Amino acid sequence: MLRCKDAATYLGLSYGTFRNLLSQGRGPAASVTYGKRDRSFTIAQLDAYIATRTIQSQPTMLEAEKVKRRRGRPRKTEAEKHKHLTHWVAIMIALYIAYLFWIYGIFNVAIGSTLSS
């Protein structure tokens, strides 16, 4: 007998996913309950659940699908647009700061000349 956490590990699922499957009625149907919350599953029940969820198929040769290409120029993605916008905003801020330095004469003070009184 395996409890819910151990049964989830046995099935290769997370505990939350296993609980969701049980509440939706898509998990292993048969279980033994101890009170309201404690549920246990036998390994045979879990193996039967795995067998019902496993699809047996024969490998087939897949042909490559021809994707029809849309006409026209491809559009830029939103990330590319924002990248260029951020670049230009940084340039404009740098130019504005240089302009403020020029207006207030900070460059003249920095190179050693005195302000006229």
Side-chain angles (χ1 to χ4, degrees):
M1 300 292 284
L2 298 175
R3 297 208 174 198
C4 284
K5 287 186 180 182
D6 299 326
T9 304
Y10 183 79
L11 293 175
L13 301 171
S14 70
Y15 177 64
T17 302
F18 185 68
R19 294 293 291 185
N20 289 340
L21 287 174
L22 290 176
S23 67
Q24 294 169 358
R26 296 178 17 204
S31 64
V32 178
T33 59
Y34 301 104
K36 291 184 179 180
R37 295 180 184 237
D38 294 332
R39 294 175 77 175
S40 295
F41 302 88
T42 62
I43 294 177
Q45 292 168 341
L46 296 175
D47 288 336
Y49 175 73
I50 292 171
T52 60
R53 302 290 293 178
T54 304
I55 299 173
Q56 300 294 330
S57 63
Q58 297 294 327
T60 59
M61 295 296 293
L62 297 176
E63 292 183 22
E65 291 184 28
K66 292 183 180 179
V67 178
K68 187 174 181 179
R69 188 169 171 223
R70 292 172 36 187
R71 291 178 49 199
R73 181 177 169 191
R75 297 185 178 176
K76 291 183 179 179
T77 61
E78 292 296 320
E80 289 176 357
K81 289 179 186 177
H82 291 300
K83 181 176 72 173
H84 294 296
L85 178 67
T86 306
H87 173 74
W88 285 109
V89 167
I91 289 173
M92 294 306 295
I93 290 172
L95 288 174
Y96 181 69
I97 290 172
Y99 173 73
L100 289 177
F101 283 167
W102 179 69
I103 290 291
Y104 291 110
I106 295 175
F107 284 133
N108 294 335
V109 173
I111 59 174
S113 63
T114 59
L115 293 174
S116 60
S117 346

